[in-house]
Amino acid sequence: MRVGVTLACSECKQRNYTTTRDKKKQGEKIEKKKYCRFCNTHTLHKEIK
Ligand SMILES: [Zn+2]
């Protein structure tokens, strides 16, 4: 079962990305380093509800 999740910048809290996650395979929350156009650099993006 795949669920949609939103990734938010850990610096400015903007919600920059959406992705899907397999609940069975991945129990932990997603954290990815992605480009944030608000911070104008790569920052850590974390899954939010
Ligand atoms: Zn940001």
Side-chain angles (χ1 to χ4, degrees):
M1 177 182 174
R2 298 189 71 83
V3 294
V5 296
T6 302
L7 300 182
C9 174
S10 59
E11 300 293 326
C12 68
K13 313 299 181 189
Q14 289 290 332
R15 301 177 181 189
N16 298 322
Y17 298 95
T18 55
T19 184
T20 56
R21 176 164 74 104
D22 191 326
K23 268 193 170 178
K24 288 181 182 175
K25 286 183 183 175
Q26 196 168 3
E28 297 188 359
K29 289 199 170 186
I30 296 172
E31 291 187 3
K32 282 184 180 177
K33 200 160 193 186
K34 284 179 168 291
Y35 180 78
C36 176
R37 65 183 181 275
F38 300 96
C39 298
N40 211 31
T41 186
H42 282 77
T43 63
L44 190 65
H45 285 67
K46 293 184 179 181
E47 176 188 339
I48 58 171
K49 297 229 169 175

